[in-house]
């Protein structure tokens, strides 16, 4: 089960993207206005209630605002077909969230921080490069190369897994073109199952943080375009300090691709590595180390969390 939620309840808000209504939380920081604001969304098939709230609460306690949203077709956001993972639309949703955050009362529009984890850890690289104004980017266990991720699936699950997903993806794309109900398969499953992620730690790791709105399924047509999602090619265009947090034992987002993205962002990149698996950064000691490094990064680059009593709390974990 996910960790218990603590702290004051965030405001429920909505904003528009691509003609749909995106559901989000707005955490107001315990600091003087105008405040920085962290814009956050989840990874491949994740929802805002699946392990993101503890990060947002820490940001708010350090004096920052946070906007945590669900993509179109996920969670409480509108859009059909449900559970459609579409990396281009995800990026559009991030841009819409940035525009909305810049208009919030008390928010400093010139101190917007993009935060992403796993699939969204790659999104924030491309979105930050396209926006050009964001003050900082945090890419936690980022998926920066869709082609490398597919190769990794082939390595641990076999070529049959990729062929099976591709065949179903083609069928789902045809069904979509004909206006028929989408064909869905699990996001995570045990080794040997036909799912997007079947490494030994994928199913227990994801389900440990899954919130009430998470559905373990996605429209399988998403696999057909996955190899084209290569945000590492945009890292050189990042205009701001960027924190890359890389899990050495990551079997979902290849660490080598994240290292390459950080290398491409030389001059703006800060890299922290952890002897952890992909899902370990959401809970327990892994969470404390990851969020501690994030807060330290933001305190140095944005002056966030410098109030009395907060600086010590945001020091990096050792």
């Amino acid at each position: 089960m996910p960790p218990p939620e603590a702290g004051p309840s965030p405001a429920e808000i909505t904003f528009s993207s691509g003609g749909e209504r995106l559901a989000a939380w707005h955490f107001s920081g315990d600091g003087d206005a105008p405040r920085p604001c962290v814009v956050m969304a989840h990874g491949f098939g994740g929802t805002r209630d699946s392990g993101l709230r503890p990060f947002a609460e820490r940001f708010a306690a350090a004096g920052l605002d946070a906007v945590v949203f669900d993509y179109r077709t996920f969670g409480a956001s509108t859009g059909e077909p449900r559970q459609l993972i579409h990396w281009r639309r995800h990026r559009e949703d991030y841009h819409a969230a940035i525009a909305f955050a810049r208009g919030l009362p008390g928010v400093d529009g010139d101190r917007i921080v993009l935060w992403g984890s796993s699939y969204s850890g790659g999104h924030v690289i491309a979105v930050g490069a396209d926006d050009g104004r964001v003050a900082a980017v945090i890419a936690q266990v980022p998926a920066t190369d869709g082609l490398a991720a597919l190769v990794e699936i082939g390595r641990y699950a076999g070529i049959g897994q990729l062929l099976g997903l591709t065949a179903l993806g083609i069928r789902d794309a045809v069904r979509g073109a004909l206006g028929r109900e989408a064909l869905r398969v699990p996001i995570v499953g045990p080794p040997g199952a036909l799912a997007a992620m079947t490494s030994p730690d994928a199913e227990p790791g994801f389900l440990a943080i899954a919130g009430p709105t998470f559905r373990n399924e996605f429209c399988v047509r998403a696999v057909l375009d996955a190899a084209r999602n290569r945000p590492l090619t945009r890292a050189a265009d990042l205009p701001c300090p960027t924190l890359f947090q890389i899990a050495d034992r990551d079997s979902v987002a290849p660490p080598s691709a994240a290292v390459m993205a950080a290398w491409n962002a030389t001059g703006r990149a800060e890299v922290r590595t952890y002897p952890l698996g992909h899902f370990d950064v959401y809970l327990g000691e892994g969470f404390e180390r990851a969020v501690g490094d994030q807060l330290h990064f933001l305190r140095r680059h944005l002056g966030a969390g410098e109030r009395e009593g907060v600086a010590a709390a945001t020091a990096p974990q050792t």
Side-chain angles (χ1 to χ4, degrees), residues 144-172:
T144 64
D145 187 344
L147 181 59
L150 292 177
V151 171
E152 181 66 11
I153 291 173
R155 185 194 64 78
Y156 70 71
I159 190 65
Q161 179 88 330
L162 291 177
L163 293 175
L165 289 171
T166 300
L168 291 176
I170 294 171
R171 286 178 55 192
D172 183 37

Side-chain angles (χ1 to χ4, degrees), residues 117-266:
S117 189
S118 191
Y119 212 46
S120 64
H123 295 339
V124 295
I125 295 170
V127 172
D130 287 338
D131 179 83
R133 280 184 59 197
V134 295
V137 169
I138 295 172
Q140 176 179 272
V141 292
T144 64
D145 187 344
L147 181 59
L150 292 177
V151 171
E152 181 66 11
I153 291 173
R155 185 194 64 78
Y156 70 71
I159 190 65
Q161 179 88 330
L162 291 177
L163 293 175
L165 289 171
T166 300
L168 291 176
I170 294 171
R171 286 178 55 192
D172 183 37
V174 172
R175 292 170 70 94
L178 297 175
R180 298 172 60 187
E181 177 63 25
L183 182 62
R184 300 179 179 89
V185 299
I187 295 169
V188 291
L194 189 61
M197 292 177 272
T198 60
S199 61
D201 63 333
E203 185 178 46
F206 210 139
L207 297 185
I209 62 171
T213 66
F214 172 72
R215 289 169 52 183
N216 187 23
E217 60 181 7
F218 75 107
C219 301
V220 70
R221 71 191 71 166
V223 302
L224 301 179
D225 199 35
R228 297 183 183 180
N229 180 26
R230 306 189 73 214
L232 64 81
T233 63
R234 301 301 315 284
D237 301 322
L238 282 165
C240 59
T242 301
L243 176 63
F244 290 86
Q245 295 179 289
I246 302 171
D248 291 340
R249 302 170 187 169
D250 199 323
S251 60
V252 174
S256 59
V259 170
M260 179 61 69
W263 177 262
N264 290 346
T266 298

